[in-house]
Amino acid sequence: EKMRSVTSGQYKAYVNELKVKYPNLPEFKTVDPADFMSQRRNIPPEVAVISYLVTEQEMSVFVVMKDTIFIKDIPIDRLLMQQKIKTFYSMQARSSRSARDARGGKMTGGTVNPEGKENKNQLASELYDLLIGPLIKDIGDKKLVAIVPSGFLCFVPFDALMYKDADGSSHYFGEQKQLFYVNKISTI
């Protein structure tokens, strides 16, 4: 499925249609079409803003830049995605704690489980492919990326998501782009 560029009117109509279809979705607190339209012109030219709206079977991704809005609908299994995020978050927290303990002079005993690292890297790649991969070309040369996470996506450390380049080397998304997080587009 391809990202589609939309006009302001199409964007407002699309989000309003989603609000009617999913009236109790808490994510609508961060996806406000009027706010996006009024604040869009304030986005610096080097910034892309990514916002996600997750339903049970679909994730709508909004990429907003100063002069362009892209929307992409991606079929998902919400429960499976939540489980992957929960597992990845837990793995990140454990590895961060181990690194802190080693820096602080505490030895937690044992060695790093290579299978655990492999699983963490696999999850990092799967989440990148789902959350970033479908829209990376549309972000293009933007150096700064603002993530507007909502719901369980607030637990995704986007900078730790991984992708492979043409020669098979793995890289973190945080090495590719400078990331920052905002609650609403108006805080940029």
Side-chain angles (χ1 to χ4, degrees):
E1 290 157 32
K2 192 176 172 186
M3 290 290 280
R4 61 188 189 273
S5 179
V6 295
T7 65
S8 297
Q10 289 171 320
Y11 170 76
K12 287 178 187 177
Y14 180 79
V15 173
N16 287 330
E17 180 183 311
L18 288 174
K19 283 183 174 185
V20 169
K21 191 173 179 182
Y22 306 104
N24 297 321
L25 209 58
E27 284 86 349
F28 282 120
K29 291 178 183 166
T30 59
V31 182
D32 177 13
D35 189 35
F36 260 41
M37 290 304 110
S38 66
Q39 298 296 326
R40 191 177 100 197
R41 299 288 178 219
N42 298 330
I43 298 173
E46 68 278 4
V47 174
V49 180
I50 303 172
S51 181
Y52 299 88
L53 181 69
V54 181
T55 66
E56 292 302 317
Q57 300 173 350
E58 180 175 79
M59 178 173 63
S60 295
V61 183
F62 305 89
V63 178
V64 182
M65 294 173 267
K66 188 171 187 80
D67 298 318
T68 311
I69 299 175
F70 292 105
I71 298 175
K72 181 171 180 98
D73 295 320
I74 302 169
I76 60 154
D77 177 332
R78 181 184 178 107
L79 292 176
L80 179 61
M81 186 165 79
Q82 278 180 296
Q83 185 58 47
K84 285 182 180 189
I85 289 170
K86 181 179 177 183
T87 302
F88 184 65
Y89 179 80
S90 176
M91 290 175 150
Q92 280 293 111
R94 276 197 301 274
S95 67
S96 295
R97 192 173 3 189
S98 296
R100 275 195 316 272
D101 290 348
R103 284 192 305 270
K106 298 178 190 173
M107 295 306 287
T108 57
T111 59
V112 174
N113 178 353
E115 186 177 303
K117 184 176 181 181
E118 179 80 22
N119 290 341
K120 185 171 93 172
N121 291 348
Q122 178 64 34
L123 274 174
S125 293
E126 289 175 17
L127 289 170
Y128 178 92
D129 290 345
L130 180 64
L131 298 169
I132 302 298
L135 47 114
I136 195 67
K137 289 180 182 165
D138 298 296
I139 294 172
D141 62 350
K142 302 295 183 193
K143 301 289 185 220
L144 301 170
V145 176
I147 307 286
V148 186
S150 60
F152 60 88
L153 292 178
C154 290
F155 294 98
V156 177
F158 282 83
D159 57 324
L161 301 184
M162 299 176 80
Y163 67 96
K164 292 189 188 272
D165 62 18
D167 72 0
S169 300
S170 293
H171 300 279
Y172 292 106
F173 183 46
E175 295 173 336
Q176 182 184 28
K177 303 286 184 184
Q178 186 175 357
L179 306 178
F180 62 101
Y181 299 87
V182 295
N183 292 332
K184 290 185 145 203
I185 194 170
S186 59
T187 58
I188 294 178

